[in-house]
Amino acid sequence: MVSIPSEGGVERSLLSWLDGVGWETHGLDGGRGASVLDDAYERDSHEVAYWNLLAEQVVALNEEVTEDNVDKFISSLRRDLDTEHLMDGNREFHQLLAKGKKFSVQRGKGATDTVIVDLIDHDNPENNRFHAVNQFSVSRETTIRPDVSLFVNGIPLVTMELKSLAQDNDWHDAVSDLQDYEDDAPRLFIPGLFNVAADTMELRYGAMGAPKEFYEPWNDAPEEFEDDNAMKQGVKALCNPGTLLDLVKHFVFYERRAGGDAKIIPRYSQYYAVNRILDRVHEGVHKRGLIWHTQGSGKSFTMLYAAENLLSRPTVARNPQVFVIVDTDKLNSQMRNQLANLSLERWTEAESIDHLQRLIEEGSSQLVLTTIQKFEDVDPDVQGNDEVILMSDEAHRFMEADLGSRIKAAFTNYSHFGFTGTPVREGERPEDRNTFDEFSPEGEKYLHRYSVKQGIDDGLILPVYFTLRHEMEWDIDEAGLDEEFEQEFRGMTTDEKREFIKENVTSRTMAELEPRVDRAVAEIDTHYNEHLLPNGWKGMVVTPSRRSAAMYGERLREQMGEEAVEVLYTSTKDDSDLIKQFHTDSEERNSIVGDFKEEENPQLLVVHNMLLTGFDAPILKTIYLDRNLKNHNLLQAIARTNRPAAGKENGEIVDFQGVFENIDEALDYDDETKAYAARDKDELYEELVEQVERAMDIFDGIDKDDTQEATYEAIERVSTHPERREFKQNFRRLQNLYEAVAPDGRLVSEGIERDYKWLSRIHVAFKRTTSGNDDPEKEMREKTREIINKHVDIPEIKRDFPTYKLGKEYLEDVEELDNPSVKAAQVAHATREHLHPRENQNPRYKRLSERVTDIVERWQGEEMSDPKAVEALKSVEEEVLSVKNKSEKGTREAAEFAIYTHLTEETPDAIESDEQAEQVAEEIVSQFRERVDRSYAGWKTNQQTIAEIERILLDVLVVEYDLGHLIKDSDGFVDATRDYLIQNHG
């Protein structure tokens, strides 16, 4: 027997899954399940709850409610649903669900007591009644009938609308229906926790009143709910009774917003991360953990959910003091505003260093928001609460040496959780910083992970494309350059000249050359006008220095107009006029950034350091990157472009520095830690102590006090040979060691921090005396730049690079690969990404794709070395570009070119000549354009389109050219031609 796929089939499957996780289900037989409960509990069609069932449960769960007074309680509860505003009513009713409802109970002699009546037993879930029914209808001014409804003790908590892809509907249509239901029968949704919209393949959930873009998937599950069927897993993991009650009790926020309040419920990554933190604190075995969630996944809310749960669940922590630590005033302001707009009760902000110390000493059980900088002068060992839990935002930046040590000195007993989207594993030396070592117990990489791939899959972030523009043609007048350099610096020895060039003609020097900036600006102007402006997107230029930012700013304003371009940095009185012209203060920058986020000028921002972290502007599509970023800094920059917006398919990096080569390092956090990088921290601490003593010995006999005499004497000593070289070398090593060891409480308690700060101040003064404004080396650098500018020209940027997509498969694979073969993997995946959407556009693409597969299989089978694989894949890339260029530059359009290529290269014996192939291809495309309607969405898959294409091929091949044998061609000419026509006209 054949059953036609329909919404009813989706409905029955979903009910069966709910039945398997503990719900009493009605409707599995295909009938109207709600009628069973309607009859059993005498519900009128205009009621939204099973009041008689709730009355039974309230009496069973509460000693103070009896058969005599339950009707009075239920009458009072019904009035709580009488509200004109859905969100206000939902907020108030949620308090009743989570904390119970006040009720006056009559005592003897006319006395009354106020008691709290529980609607749900959160401590003993098995005492509740869980019903899942289909076709629950509510009739008021109009009638609504959601597909599946979930009731706890007769109260509707979840409303589900289901669609069938086989009936040409999907979850987007389900959301629209749910939003209509909220308008037509808001009373049903006042007690609701969330809604579910699903179709044959996908499930989304969203809070009451949520717009469609806030309906999200639930794509993770504990082991007991794991299933290969993603939708089934989502239903079981999200809607099982235990998770549902946990969400009701502990994971609902209400946020005040300008356009109207919003209900906030967690994403699955937030929910599972918070529960990992709670389990770790409760178990008490380890006192730290790393929450590694990609940028844009809502780490701030994860921290606040964790804080609220720690403060409200005595079974986890008895009476904790929770600190949320951020590292900038801007993040502090953002978090403060977030807290002020949420429904949290027990929190305060540390307003100063002294206030922070008082809060630590008092130890009150509350959330304390503070910047890390406020720990600077907090005294050691002032902890007043023996249950302190720290949560550090952007944990990779938390590891500032001195301040991190101050935190460790202030608290003697605490748990510490780091939150970051970009953990640091910089370099392979023992002194290099490592977020994993700082926050993860031995043998653990992270406590919870939400990856870039997951973010892309879930639609929270977009893939990012890298377009390479880093190779330029340089026309250099070598003879003139050499002659002028020799003339200008004739007083220096050859070795001195060589050393000066090595130290001062750097990549930054080259990036500031006028011809190079001119060429890059021309490229940016063209790219912006062709790719961003027509679609309303905006861009950002990231430069290696403030000087280069000013150079870009001047030139881009000439090209695009002053209103369209803003340059953001601060300058000082010592800066050149070039730099000073673009100085902005904090208020000006806030105004510019606010305008940038809207659909108005500026269209382009030019920055050096600013806005590379914590800046969210979905309208930003492209970063023009002319700064050599690495590791977490590179990932932070990428994340500026990957925020979703309507119509935005991806972010983009136009790379003028070749930083794409750093991507493997930036993403490679999963390799085994090298043996020499896993040295015991005590060893590094001992080495640091020795290095401090060695540096201090240079100043033996000099007072270490705050006087002019002492500082003067110290600088005099290190300004002469050999102390000068010894101090420079020792201090560089000392900095590296201090960064590796800090934060560590011993640095404060043992006086190491004090000595290091003294040495640091002497180092600053020493550098200032040798590199002041009248420094001859500075003048030499300026003169060198002028000489190079005069003798260098850049007529062209190399453009024939493929565009590399940082998509989900590529990122996933790069993270799993070992470093030696990452280069080959990059090229392989980028080439596949380039070919995949084009395979049906031209037969040559298909053959090239097969070559890529063959190369990769031979490489992975160790039949081909990494370098050879890279070269082979690069040759394929060149052919891909060649096909594309021929198609674009030729007289034939793409579909004609594809059909012509197929006839001449795939079936040459089936035609009389190349000229005939050209005529056939032209006629097929001409008739396709005349006869096939392409004006509506879905034309490509419509059966009428396919049938009409087949009629066109019959008319052209059989009637006009007597090539009927191609219709029967075993090589699939008809199918291939249909693909060429559709794909090239998409």
Side-chain angles (χ1 to χ4, degrees):
M1 178 179 176
V2 175
S3 296
I4 307 301
S6 66
E7 289 177 11
V10 179
E11 186 179 284
R12 288 189 296 277
S13 293
L14 194 141
L15 284 170
S16 71
W17 302 337
L18 292 168
D19 188 75
V21 293
W23 292 84
E24 296 180 44
T25 57
H26 298 282
L28 276 170
D29 58 358
R32 182 173 171 266
S35 62
V36 177
L37 293 188
D38 289 350
D39 294 341
Y41 296 103
E42 300 176 335
R43 182 186 77 94
D44 292 332
S45 62
H46 67 279
E47 296 290 0
V48 300
Y50 290 104
W51 296 113
N52 291 340
L53 170 58
L54 179 57
E56 289 179 10
Q57 285 297 105
V58 167
V59 171
L61 299 178
N62 299 273
E63 292 183 5
E64 303 291 347
V65 182
T66 65
E67 297 290 343
D68 296 329
N69 61 17
V70 68
D71 288 343
K72 177 184 175 184
F73 176 80
I74 294 296
S75 295
S76 173
L77 194 61
R78 286 183 189 223
R79 289 193 293 273
D80 291 320
L81 296 184
D82 292 330
T83 176
E84 295 181 0
H85 194 274
L86 172 60
M87 193 56 62
D88 290 344
N90 189 269
R91 179 194 293 107
E92 292 169 8
F93 206 94
H94 174 260
Q95 290 296 307
L96 307 183
L97 293 171
K99 299 180 179 180
K101 176 179 172 61
K102 289 182 180 179
F103 181 54
S104 295
V105 179
Q106 295 288 333
R107 303 297 187 192
K109 298 181 179 179
T112 61
D113 283 341
T114 299
V115 298
I116 301 297
V117 176
D118 290 326
L119 306 183
I120 297 173
D121 189 340
H122 290 283
D123 296 328
N124 304 286
E126 66 277 5
N127 291 337
N128 302 292
R129 295 284 303 279
F130 299 94
H131 289 96
V133 303
N134 67 333
Q135 303 302 311
F136 177 83
S137 66
V138 177
S139 298
R140 292 219 167 214
E141 289 82 2
T142 185
T143 298
I144 67 168
R145 183 176 291 176
D147 292 315
V148 173
S149 301
L150 306 186
F151 296 85
V152 177
N153 297 335
I155 302 169
L157 289 189
V158 179
T159 300
M160 301 182 173
E161 187 67 13
L162 312 176
K163 299 296 179 183
S164 171
L165 295 178
Q167 293 176 282
D168 199 22
N169 289 302
D170 62 15
W171 68 266
H172 296 275
D173 300 299
V175 174
S176 297
D177 286 351
L178 286 164
Q179 291 171 336
D180 289 341
Y181 295 162
E182 289 179 349
D183 292 336
D184 294 339
R187 191 180 174 92
L188 172 63
F189 297 90
I190 285 173
L193 176 61
F194 57 78
N195 298 330
V196 169
D199 56 38
T200 313
M201 301 299 292
E202 295 188 71
L203 173 146
R204 296 290 190 278
Y205 71 104
M208 275 64 243
K212 186 180 295 183
E213 58 265 29
F214 288 102
Y215 273 72
E216 297 179 351
W218 191 279
N219 283 339
D220 196 7
E223 187 175 351
E224 62 184 303
F225 299 126
E226 286 180 354
D227 198 287
D228 292 337
N229 182 332
M231 185 173 157
K232 182 178 181 180
Q233 174 179 282
V235 170
K236 291 161 62 179
L238 172 62
C239 296
N240 69 84
T243 298
L244 200 69
L245 293 192
D246 194 21
L247 291 169
V248 170
K249 181 73 172 176
H250 301 293
F251 286 90
V252 175
F253 288 145
Y254 290 89
E255 184 178 29
R256 287 187 292 274
R257 293 180 179 174
D261 293 357
K263 183 177 185 177
I264 310 295
I265 53 177
R267 297 167 176 151
Y268 68 86
S269 56
Q270 296 168 328
Y271 179 74
Y272 291 128
V274 169
N275 278 305
R276 292 275 180 89
I277 293 171
L278 300 180
D279 290 344
R280 178 145 295 180
V281 171
H282 176 66
E283 291 162 2
V285 177
H286 299 297
K287 289 186 171 291
R288 54 187 178 142
L290 180 66
I291 308 301
W292 179 8
H293 285 190
T294 189
Q295 301 293 322
S297 60
K299 291 190 297 299
S300 295
F301 271 111
T302 307
M303 298 172 77
L304 296 180
Y305 278 125
E308 178 73 356
N309 275 272
L310 288 165
L311 291 167
S312 64
R313 299 174 86 153
T315 55
V316 176
R318 184 171 34 85
N319 199 35
Q321 188 175 33
V322 180
F323 290 81
V324 170
I325 305 172
V326 297
D327 77 327
T328 67
D329 288 336
K330 182 177 180 180
L331 288 175
N332 189 78
S333 297
Q334 290 175 354
M335 188 67 83
R336 181 204 310 126
N337 294 337
Q338 193 84 76
L339 283 163
N341 289 325
L342 291 178
S343 47
L344 276 75
E345 298 175 357
R346 295 157 57 189
W347 73 276
T348 190
E349 179 187 5
E351 298 174 356
S352 64
I353 294 173
D354 290 341
H355 185 211
L356 175 61
Q357 177 150 329
R358 287 199 304 275
L359 291 170
I360 296 172
E361 290 171 346
E362 292 166 1
S364 297
S365 182
Q366 61 181 338
L367 185 161
V368 178
L369 172 64
T370 181
T371 60
I372 187 174
Q373 288 78 13
K374 290 190 178 75
F375 281 91
E376 184 174 5
D377 289 323
V378 169
D379 294 336
D381 301 333
V382 293
Q383 182 174 346
N385 186 319
D386 61 1
E387 285 187 299
V388 166
I389 299 158
L390 311 181
M391 292 188 288
S392 294
D393 191 20
E394 296 299 349
H396 64 275
R397 300 204 300 265
F398 154 80
M399 295 184 295
E400 296 179 37
D402 296 338
L403 297 174
S405 297
R406 284 286 170 181
I407 289 176
K408 293 194 171 187
F411 301 106
T412 55
N413 179 30
Y414 64 100
S415 297
H416 197 176
F417 298 94
F419 290 73
T420 185
T422 51
V424 170
R425 179 180 285 159
E426 293 183 347
E428 298 175 334
R429 301 170 303 168
E431 61 265 25
D432 289 324
R433 299 187 301 165
N434 191 321
T435 316
F436 300 95
D437 287 352
E438 181 64 34
F439 288 97
S440 297
E442 184 176 355
E444 177 180 280
K445 293 178 182 177
Y446 43 80
L447 182 59
H448 192 265
R449 174 82 194 278
Y450 183 73
S451 68
V452 174
K453 177 188 182 303
Q454 289 172 295
I456 292 173
D457 285 343
D458 293 343
L460 295 184
I461 58 175
L462 299 172
V464 177
Y465 292 81
F466 262 72
T467 300
L468 300 183
R469 291 289 181 268
H470 65 293
E471 289 194 12
M472 303 183 182
E473 295 179 6
W474 293 72
D475 286 348
I476 302 174
D477 177 8
E478 296 184 14
L481 194 155
D482 290 345
E483 180 181 348
E484 188 163 349
F485 190 86
E486 290 296 327
Q487 180 68 23
E488 188 67 38
F489 301 121
R490 56 187 178 276
M492 299 170 66
T493 67
T494 300
D495 287 344
E496 287 173 336
K497 290 175 187 174
R498 185 179 296 115
E499 187 67 22
F500 175 80
I501 291 172
K502 181 180 177 181
E503 290 185 2
N504 293 284
V505 183
T506 63
S507 59
R508 174 173 158 178
T509 307
M510 305 308 283
E512 293 174 351
L513 292 178
E514 292 179 7
R516 186 184 180 282
V517 174
D518 289 341
R519 177 51 56 195
V521 164
E523 181 71 18
I524 291 169
D525 184 50
T526 299
H527 184 279
Y528 173 81
N529 284 300
E530 290 181 357
H531 299 284
L532 273 68
L533 183 61
N535 298 304
W537 304 120
K538 297 190 178 185
M540 180 189 293
V541 183
V542 180
T543 68
S545 65
R546 290 178 304 143
R547 178 189 178 89
S548 58
M551 294 171 71
Y552 271 106
E554 284 187 335
R555 288 158 175 79
L556 285 166
R557 282 188 165 190
E558 290 175 6
Q559 297 287 336
M560 302 172 61
E562 288 197 13
E563 297 292 323
V565 180
E566 292 285 358
V567 184
L568 299 184
Y569 57 66
T570 58
S571 65
T572 68
K573 60 182 178 62
D574 295 329
D575 286 322
S576 65
D577 290 341
L578 171 68
I579 294 175
K580 285 180 181 177
Q581 67 176 315
F582 291 114
H583 170 79
T584 51
D585 59 31
S586 177
E587 186 174 340
E588 290 171 326
R589 288 193 295 275
N590 287 339
S591 175
I592 291 168
V593 167
D595 290 341
F596 181 81
K597 292 181 177 182
E598 304 299 328
E599 295 181 5
E600 53 188 84
N601 282 322
Q603 303 299 312
L604 205 62
L605 295 179
V606 182
V607 303
H608 168 45
N609 272 331
M610 293 178 178
L611 305 185
L612 297 187
T613 61
F615 173 63
D616 287 337
I619 201 169
L620 174 61
K621 169 72 179 291
T622 301
I623 283 182
Y624 301 97
L625 185 58
D626 197 17
R627 181 176 171 191
N628 193 17
L629 299 176
K630 296 183 179 181
N631 298 311
H632 66 279
N633 293 318
L634 177 53
L635 288 187
Q636 289 275 358
I638 289 171
R640 299 314 107 216
T641 71
N642 69 6
R643 299 302 194 260
K648 183 178 174 184
E649 298 296 328
N650 62 276
E652 181 184 26
I653 306 292
V654 178
D655 180 4
F656 290 97
Q657 281 281 346
V659 298
F660 183 74
E661 297 173 2
N662 301 325
I663 282 293
D664 61 308
E665 295 177 10
L667 298 174
D668 180 18
Y669 294 108
D670 291 328
D671 286 346
E672 289 301 315
T673 307
K674 306 296 184 184
Y676 56 83
R679 287 175 55 190
D680 186 84
K681 203 164 186 179
D682 286 338
E683 291 182 36
L684 289 175
Y685 177 79
E686 292 169 6
E687 188 174 341
L688 171 63
V689 172
E690 293 175 4
Q691 193 69 22
V692 169
E693 292 174 353
R694 195 174 297 123
M696 294 295 282
D697 285 344
I698 297 173
F699 304 96
D700 187 38
I702 297 176
D703 292 335
K704 310 303 186 295
D705 56 26
D706 183 20
T707 64
Q708 184 274 339
E709 293 89 347
T711 305
Y712 179 84
E713 192 175 349
I715 294 170
E716 282 287 294
R717 180 166 297 182
V718 296
S719 296
T720 58
H721 187 77
E723 283 83 359
R724 178 190 182 100
R725 177 179 294 274
E726 182 182 0
F727 181 59
K728 288 175 71 174
Q729 291 177 342
N730 282 355
F731 191 78
R732 189 178 299 117
R733 173 64 178 158
L734 178 59
Q735 282 180 309
N736 289 337
L737 281 169
Y738 197 88
E739 289 289 332
V741 172
D744 189 310
R746 291 175 294 182
L747 298 177
V748 178
S749 60
E750 300 297 324
I752 302 300
E753 181 194 80
R754 181 189 63 244
D755 291 348
Y756 177 74
K757 281 191 173 181
W758 187 85
L759 289 166
S760 297
R761 296 293 171 83
I762 299 302
H763 186 253
V764 170
F766 164 70
K767 286 177 63 180
R768 187 64 175 173
T769 57
T770 57
S771 303
N773 292 333
D774 58 348
D775 179 12
E777 287 191 3
K778 181 178 180 181
E779 293 182 10
M780 290 165 65
R781 285 193 293 273
E782 291 293 332
K783 179 61 68 175
T784 300
R785 184 185 289 110
E786 291 175 14
I787 292 172
I788 297 175
N789 273 329
K790 287 167 60 178
H791 295 277
V792 171
D793 187 29
I794 301 176
E796 190 56 71
I797 296 178
K798 184 178 179 182
R799 309 180 61 84
D800 58 347
F801 289 100
T803 294
Y804 294 90
K805 176 187 176 186
L806 295 187
K808 51 191 178 185
E809 297 88 357
Y810 169 73
L811 288 173
E812 180 183 40
D813 290 342
V814 169
E815 286 178 337
E816 297 298 325
L817 286 170
D818 294 328
N819 278 337
S821 59
V822 167
K823 185 69 174 180
Q826 284 179 348
V827 182
H829 282 274
T831 307
R832 279 174 161 168
E833 291 286 354
H834 198 70
L835 279 168
H836 180 67
R838 296 174 171 82
E839 285 183 358
N840 292 325
Q841 290 180 0
N842 193 293
R844 292 185 188 175
Y845 286 132
K846 186 79 171 177
R847 294 198 297 273
L848 290 169
S849 180
E850 291 168 356
R851 278 179 56 192
V852 172
T853 300
D854 178 63
I855 293 167
V856 170
E857 287 177 353
R858 289 168 58 201
W859 167 57
Q860 291 178 341
E862 299 183 354
E863 298 174 28
M864 182 182 289
S865 66
D866 296 344
K868 287 186 177 180
V870 171
E871 290 306 312
L873 289 162
K874 281 184 176 178
S875 72
V876 176
E877 286 177 2
E878 291 170 2
E879 291 190 46
V880 172
L881 292 167
S882 174
V883 175
K884 185 172 183 290
N885 290 336
K886 286 179 181 177
S887 175
E888 291 176 349
K889 294 178 181 177
T891 57
R892 307 181 195 96
E893 69 159 51
E896 276 184 47
F897 181 56
I899 297 169
Y900 170 80
T901 302
H902 191 110
L903 288 169
T904 55
E905 297 183 6
E906 302 292 314
T907 59
D909 296 335
I911 56 173
E912 296 175 3
S913 64
D914 288 358
E915 289 75 17
Q916 186 187 49
E918 189 171 354
Q919 294 167 3
V920 169
E922 184 178 355
E923 183 62 24
I924 289 173
V925 173
S926 175
Q927 294 208 26
F928 171 82
R929 294 172 70 109
E930 289 178 11
R931 294 165 56 175
V932 174
D933 182 5
R934 293 173 285 128
S935 64
Y936 61 96
W939 70 268
K940 290 188 287 187
T941 56
N942 191 289
Q943 286 300 315
Q944 290 182 335
T945 298
I946 295 169
E948 186 61 29
I949 290 174
E950 290 176 355
R951 284 193 288 270
I952 289 170
L953 293 179
L954 284 170
D955 290 345
V956 174
L957 295 174
V958 178
V959 178
E960 293 190 37
Y961 287 95
D962 193 24
L963 295 174
H965 50 279
L966 280 169
I967 300 290
K968 304 174 184 178
D969 175 25
S970 60
D971 291 329
F973 177 75
V974 173
D975 290 341
T977 301
R978 183 170 58 242
D979 285 341
Y980 301 149
L981 291 167
I982 291 173
Q983 294 299 323
N984 285 294
H985 285 85

